[in-house]
Amino acid sequence: MSHENIPSNLEDKILLLAEMIENSSEAIIAHGPDKKLICWNLGAEKLFGYSKHEALGQYVSDLKFTILTATEITSIENQIQEFGSWKSERTFFHKNGIPFWGAVTGNKLSSKNGGEDYFYFIIKDISNHIKLEANLQRNNDELELLLKFRTEELHKTEEYYRSVFENNPMPMWVIDIETFKFLDVNQCAIQQYGYSREEFLSMTALDIREEDDKEKFKNLYRGLDTGSKTINRGVWKHKIKDGSIIYVEITAQNLEYHGVAARLILANNITEKYMAEEKLIVNEKRFKSLIENSHDAFTMFDEKLNIIYRSQSSERITGWPNNEVIGLNFISGIHPDDFKSTYRKILEIKNTPFKSSILEFRLKHKNGNFICVNGFVSNLMNDENVKAIVFNFQDVTDRKISEEKLQASEVRFRSLIENSKDVFVMFDKSFNIIYRSPSANRVTGFSDSDLLGANGMINVHPDDLAEAKVILVDLLANPGKKIRILYRNKHKDGHYINIDGVMTNLLNDASVNAIVFSFQDVTDVIKAEKERNRMNDEIIKRSKRLEQFAYIISHNLRLPVANILGIADYLKGDITDDDCANMVDFLSSATVKLDEVIKDLNNILQIQSQIAEYKEVVSMSKLVADIESSIKMLLHNYHVTINIDFEAKDEITTIKSYLYSIFYNLISNSVKYRKLDEPLVISLRSKVVQDKLIITVKDNGLGFNYKQNAEKIFGLYKRFHPEIEGKGIGLFLVKTQVESLDGTISVSSELGLGTEFTMEFPLSN
């Protein structure tokens, strides 16, 4: 500001500014070239405890309100000289010795003609700010800085006035009282509000306010007459250039600026403090609402254990209204049987600051009954915000009753489990065994020490393992799912037992948190079922055989017998010798036919009677060689080639005579139904598929129409080539013998392309 622009009453303005400094709540101090204090405002008296009389004329080191050596003071002054200002946060001391954390800003004032330099410092107590930052994270310190400076004790120059205004750490501006136009702003306002000086000077104070505040501002500030008094105008919302809102505490002072009625404004940005306080208020309301509406009860008592506060839930839970129990001793309602142990714990907590513990005891309800309460007791007597012993508890009477019932039920359930015939095993999410009922030892032969912690798949039969893993993956993917499973499990003595049970995924059930498998050993049941099925199959087979016999009797025996009876009746009459001779021939032919049928029946009956014949190890290749030897001439005459491939399985345990008959009949059939214009080739081959032996007998003979004859291929007296001599009993005998060995036989054939018989026998036989 040029000299000619200084108002004629500059000294009055400087005095006015000094009054503002003097009445500032922040400490403003200054010292001259001799390092003696020349300024000590009311804020400094309040902050440090030294009166103006005690401070003025003293050295900083004499008062000891901060620890600074002469070298450090010189360094600070050098920094101010070099950079124009100096800022720091450091420890200060009140006159009573109590330390506090303060923020200090230093500036210098120099005479216009290059005279001696004076240094002034603005100090504010930021202890609350530090404390809020440490405890509440978002709260800020109390910033209350009123710019007042004792002008008569400092240089009365334009540079001094401008330095105080421009270098103030808080935003300041001058506005026209009538138009609210900005007349001047300091650098701090430019930095905090984001507007340039030119933008500010083109705006009014209304432009930094929200719409709903503008009318209120105009009505209040036009009617405001502060005179020469500095007043606090409270907290306002200001809108900075980026559109965000800040909260500022306004201090105002009327003045004349270049002949215009104006107002000097100091804006203390308290946004963080305001928001922190608002948050504290909201949190306090929320906390109080939570306490008052919580299902839990809160009771506070003093060091004598007298009740000083109870939440509404305490009344609801105990039945006692507050006006009947506030002031009474808390322990008076404890059940006699619980009194001694509970009182001892409460005393231990009372005598140990900040100690906490869980308590559970019976407390007398107003209706005369006792309820069971469980809660957390904390000694917060040394907490300045509480100063009480706090008991946060719930009524757990119903829970205790349920727990007792559950415990009794658990005992009964465990007894059932421990004494059950069924086996119960529990697995964790990795399918490791975590529990086995006692019956598991009996069924599997393994003790708990053998299997607890082991994987549940360890003893599954290799042939069942793949399917078991698929079932487990499905089970794990579906919480709550039940799956029935039947598999073979290894017994400790080495053999496998059959397990049948239900596996349930209860991993998501907090009370179980396991896969539960309940099962039984069904080995005997399966054996009995197999035996029953075998017997049923045998009954069916016998029933079919009986049907065959019935057929033979009703058809095959009836015709020769009827012929014999007819001839016998004829012989009883008058006949000639020639007729008699013819009748004898007829009778002989019928008798031969009857004999053949009886022999066939005898062969069939013989197969049934020999089923218990001794089984022995038989070499199939040797057996076929014996057959080839017995029909050597036949094979030679008809140019028959027999190829055998029993490499997969040659020796089997069976009834030798049956297997011989089977091979003999099939080979004989191939020779009988050969093609006359093509050498006959018969191939016999064995292979093993799982637990079955498969034997095929294939030829390149005449074959037959399989589709037309599928149902009667193995029937008695069924023939497919009537032009070739035969009785139709061979394949019937083959099928009967195969089935007697617990096997099955099937055929595939096509007219002109040959025939292939396939027999399957269980290797276990």
Side-chain angles (χ1 to χ4, degrees):
M1 181 183 297
S2 64
H3 184 73
E4 58 270 17
N5 289 331
I6 297 177
S8 60
N9 56 350
L10 174 61
E11 187 168 342
D12 292 339
K13 302 303 178 290
I14 293 176
L15 290 174
L16 183 63
L17 185 58
E19 181 184 352
M20 293 177 68
I21 294 173
E22 177 65 26
N23 291 290
S24 172
S25 62
E26 305 299 338
I28 302 176
I29 66 175
H31 70 75
D34 59 358
K35 306 292 191 296
K36 290 184 179 181
L37 294 169
I38 61 172
C39 176
W40 190 268
N41 73 339
L42 293 176
E45 289 185 350
K46 181 179 178 182
L47 187 61
F48 297 109
Y50 295 98
S51 67
K52 188 187 301 294
H53 176 73
E54 292 175 304
L56 292 179
Q58 298 292 323
Y59 293 104
V60 173
S61 58
D62 293 337
L63 295 182
K64 298 180 180 178
F65 60 83
T66 187
I67 300 174
L68 285 171
T69 65
T71 302
E72 290 175 323
I73 293 175
T74 301
S75 175
I76 292 170
E77 291 177 352
N78 290 338
Q79 291 183 51
I80 296 175
Q81 293 282 9
E82 182 177 356
F83 301 108
S85 65
W86 168 80
K87 293 183 180 181
S88 177
E89 291 185 1
R90 59 192 301 112
T91 303
F92 291 90
F93 298 90
H94 192 272
K95 182 179 179 181
N96 59 15
I98 297 176
F100 63 91
W101 195 254
V104 56
T105 302
N107 293 275
K108 75 169 184 174
L109 292 173
S110 301
S111 64
K112 188 172 183 181
N113 299 321
E116 295 179 323
D117 292 329
Y118 291 81
F119 298 91
Y120 71 92
F121 301 90
I122 301 174
I123 305 166
K124 58 182 178 180
D125 181 358
I126 61 171
S127 298
N128 289 336
H129 172 77
I130 299 300
K131 183 178 178 181
L132 287 173
E133 278 188 346
N135 296 335
L136 302 176
Q137 297 180 353
R138 292 190 178 183
N139 294 353
N140 293 302
D141 62 331
E142 290 260 341
L143 292 176
E144 207 174 341
L145 193 59
L146 300 174
L147 182 64
K148 299 178 192 272
F149 205 77
R150 193 164 186 169
T151 334
E152 64 273 12
E153 296 177 353
L154 301 172
H155 295 287
K156 299 178 178 64
T157 62
E158 178 187 359
E159 289 82 358
Y160 164 75
Y161 177 83
R162 173 55 63 184
S163 177
V164 171
F165 183 80
E166 285 295 341
N167 297 315
N168 197 285
M170 289 187 293
M172 295 184 70
W173 56 75
V174 179
I175 61 171
D176 186 320
I177 292 178
E178 291 299 322
T179 65
F180 306 124
K181 181 177 177 61
F182 285 102
L183 303 177
D184 199 0
V185 295
N186 72 350
Q187 188 62 31
C188 186
I190 293 171
Q191 292 175 350
Q192 288 198 18
Y193 282 73
Y195 298 104
S196 67
R197 185 179 300 276
E198 289 72 18
E199 288 175 321
F200 257 120
L201 297 181
S202 67
M203 298 163 53
T204 70
L206 295 174
D207 295 327
I208 61 172
R209 283 167 171 79
E210 293 186 304
E211 289 298 327
D212 55 356
D213 273 354
K214 289 182 179 180
E215 199 62 35
K216 173 185 173 183
F217 171 77
K218 288 190 291 186
N219 294 336
L220 179 65
Y221 268 70
R222 282 205 172 111
L224 179 66
D225 182 12
T226 66
S228 60
K229 183 179 178 182
T230 301
I231 62 171
N232 187 298
R233 294 311 308 153
V235 177
W236 290 80
K237 290 188 292 183
H238 281 184
K239 181 170 64 176
I240 63 177
K241 188 173 182 178
D242 65 7
S244 58
I245 301 298
I246 61 173
Y247 291 85
V248 295
E249 185 179 51
I250 298 297
T251 302
Q253 174 69 58
N254 284 352
L255 55 80
E256 185 177 327
Y257 185 81
H258 294 271
V260 177
R263 186 163 291 144
L264 176 64
I265 304 296
L266 184 144
N268 183 12
N269 188 346
I270 60 167
T271 303
E272 293 184 358
K273 171 188 169 185
Y274 182 86
M275 298 303 292
E277 289 176 348
E278 286 294 309
K279 185 176 180 180
L280 282 174
I281 293 171
V282 171
N283 286 342
E284 183 178 353
K285 290 180 179 179
R286 184 185 296 114
F287 178 74
K288 185 174 181 180
S289 176
L290 288 173
I291 292 294
E292 295 299 336
N293 297 284
S294 173
H295 180 72
D296 290 3
F298 291 85
T299 297
M300 299 167 63
F301 34 92
D302 59 21
E303 59 183 0
K304 296 181 180 179
L305 305 183
N306 294 325
I307 299 172
I308 58 175
Y309 170 80
R310 297 168 80 242
S311 64
Q312 293 179 0
S313 297
S314 297
E315 296 187 19
R316 173 180 52 79
I317 289 175
T318 66
W320 297 97
N322 285 341
N323 60 357
E324 294 186 28
V325 295
I326 293 292
L328 296 182
N329 196 275
F330 173 75
I331 64 174
S332 60
I334 298 175
H335 192 284
D337 293 344
D338 300 338
F339 183 85
K340 186 175 180 179
S341 60
T342 304
Y343 184 55
R344 183 172 62 251
K345 289 182 180 179
I346 292 177
L347 283 182
E348 182 182 348
I349 295 169
K350 184 177 83 73
N351 295 328
T352 310
F354 299 106
K355 183 177 178 61
S356 299
S357 182
I358 295 175
L359 288 183
E360 184 170 298
F361 56 89
R362 286 165 289 178
L363 188 66
K364 191 171 185 179
H365 193 277
K366 187 173 183 180
N367 62 16
N369 296 325
F370 281 90
I371 60 174
C372 185
V373 296
N374 176 283
F376 204 69
V377 180
S378 301
N379 182 350
L380 300 178
M381 294 294 298
N382 288 1
D383 188 325
E384 290 295 324
N385 298 314
V386 184
K387 293 184 178 180
I389 296 172
V390 181
F391 183 30
N392 171 24
F393 64 92
Q394 292 181 334
D395 178 4
V396 295
T397 307
D398 293 339
R399 190 190 76 190
K400 291 293 289 185
I401 293 173
S402 298
E403 286 177 353
E404 290 171 359
K405 290 180 178 179
L406 181 62
Q407 188 174 11
S409 175
E410 184 177 350
V411 171
R412 288 194 297 270
F413 177 74
R414 180 171 289 275
S415 177
L416 288 172
I417 293 294
E418 303 294 347
N419 296 284
S420 173
K421 179 183 177 183
D422 289 359
V423 178
F424 292 86
V425 178
M426 297 170 68
F427 309 92
D428 62 17
K429 62 182 180 181
S430 299
F431 209 61
N432 295 323
I433 300 171
I434 58 176
Y435 170 79
R436 299 169 76 244
S437 63
S439 51
N441 298 351
R442 170 180 52 79
V443 171
T444 67
F446 290 100
S447 64
D448 287 350
S449 60
D450 293 329
L451 293 181
L452 283 180
N455 191 271
M457 295 288 183
I458 189 172
N459 288 320
V460 176
H461 193 285
D463 293 343
D464 298 338
L465 191 58
E467 183 181 358
K469 288 181 178 179
V470 171
I471 291 174
L472 179 60
V473 169
D474 181 29
L475 191 70
L476 289 173
N478 296 280
K481 185 171 184 176
K482 294 183 177 181
I483 298 179
R484 183 173 180 182
I485 183 170
L486 176 66
Y487 68 97
R488 290 162 290 178
N489 199 72
K490 192 174 184 179
H491 193 276
K492 188 172 184 178
D493 63 14
H495 74 279
Y496 283 89
I497 59 175
N498 292 282
I499 296 298
D500 183 19
V502 175
M503 199 172 285
T504 308
N505 182 354
L506 297 178
L507 287 169
N508 286 2
D509 187 328
S511 62
V512 182
N513 192 28
I515 296 172
V516 179
F517 185 28
S518 61
F519 64 87
Q520 290 182 339
D521 176 6
V522 294
T523 305
D524 293 339
V525 174
I526 289 177
K527 286 181 179 178
E529 186 175 351
K530 286 183 178 179
E531 180 62 19
R532 183 172 62 253
N533 292 338
R534 190 193 66 77
M535 293 177 67
N536 287 339
D537 291 342
E538 184 62 27
I539 291 171
I540 292 171
K541 291 176 184 178
R542 289 177 180 270
S543 176
K544 289 182 179 179
R545 293 186 193 114
L546 287 174
E547 291 178 3
Q548 292 288 346
F549 283 121
Y551 172 82
I552 293 168
I553 292 170
S554 61
H555 294 82
N556 298 66
L557 286 178
R558 184 174 182 81
L559 181 59
V561 171
N563 286 338
I564 292 171
L565 291 174
I567 292 170
D569 288 340
Y570 187 79
L571 290 173
K572 291 178 182 179
D574 294 330
I575 60 174
T576 65
D577 292 339
D578 291 338
D579 289 337
C580 182
N582 289 333
M583 289 301 105
V584 170
D585 290 337
F586 290 148
L587 181 61
S588 175
S589 176
T591 304
V592 170
K593 187 67 176 176
L594 178 61
D595 181 61
E596 289 177 354
V597 173
I598 292 173
K599 285 179 180 179
D600 291 340
L601 293 176
N602 183 60
N603 289 334
I604 296 171
L605 291 173
Q606 189 175 11
I607 292 173
Q608 302 304 317
S609 64
Q610 291 175 345
I611 192 61
E613 186 177 330
Y614 172 72
K615 290 184 179 181
E616 57 185 302
V617 177
V618 177
S619 169
M620 292 189 290
S621 58
K622 189 174 182 304
L623 204 65
V624 174
D626 291 343
I627 294 172
E628 286 185 88
S629 179
S630 67
I631 57 173
K632 185 175 181 180
M633 290 305 297
L634 181 69
L635 299 177
H636 175 75
N637 293 336
Y638 294 141
H639 308 289
V640 179
T641 300
I642 298 179
N643 299 322
I644 61 172
D645 178 11
F646 293 145
E647 184 177 351
K649 186 75 173 173
D650 185 21
E651 293 186 345
I652 61 171
T653 301
T654 185
I655 300 175
K656 183 176 181 180
S657 61
Y658 279 22
L659 191 58
Y660 184 95
S661 176
I662 292 168
F663 283 158
Y664 183 87
N665 276 301
L666 292 177
I667 293 172
S668 298
N669 258 21
S670 294
V671 174
K672 183 182 295 186
Y673 300 107
R674 70 190 183 281
K675 293 178 182 176
L676 299 179
D677 58 349
E678 183 179 341
L680 177 65
V681 178
I682 304 173
S683 300
L684 293 90
R685 183 172 178 266
S686 70
K687 64 178 179 178
V688 176
V689 179
Q690 294 182 348
D691 59 348
K692 293 184 180 297
L693 171 65
I694 299 176
I695 302 172
T696 58
V697 179
K698 184 177 181 181
D699 64 43
N700 61 341
L702 294 174
F704 58 88
N705 191 322
Y706 175 79
K707 292 182 180 179
Q708 292 182 0
N709 301 288
E711 295 183 0
K712 56 184 180 179
I713 291 171
F714 296 104
L716 189 60
Y717 300 126
K718 300 299 182 182
R719 301 175 64 214
F720 309 112
H721 296 284
E723 72 278 6
I724 299 175
E725 183 180 355
K727 296 190 295 181
I729 194 173
L731 291 182
F732 176 82
L733 292 176
V734 168
K735 185 173 187 296
T736 302
Q737 289 171 324
V738 169
E739 290 178 348
S740 296
L741 296 175
D742 294 329
T744 61
I745 185 168
S746 60
V747 63
S748 62
S749 183
E750 193 170 342
L751 194 62
L753 297 179
T755 303
E756 181 176 13
F757 291 91
T758 301
M759 295 169 284
E760 291 186 9
F761 298 98
L763 284 175
S764 58
N765 288 347

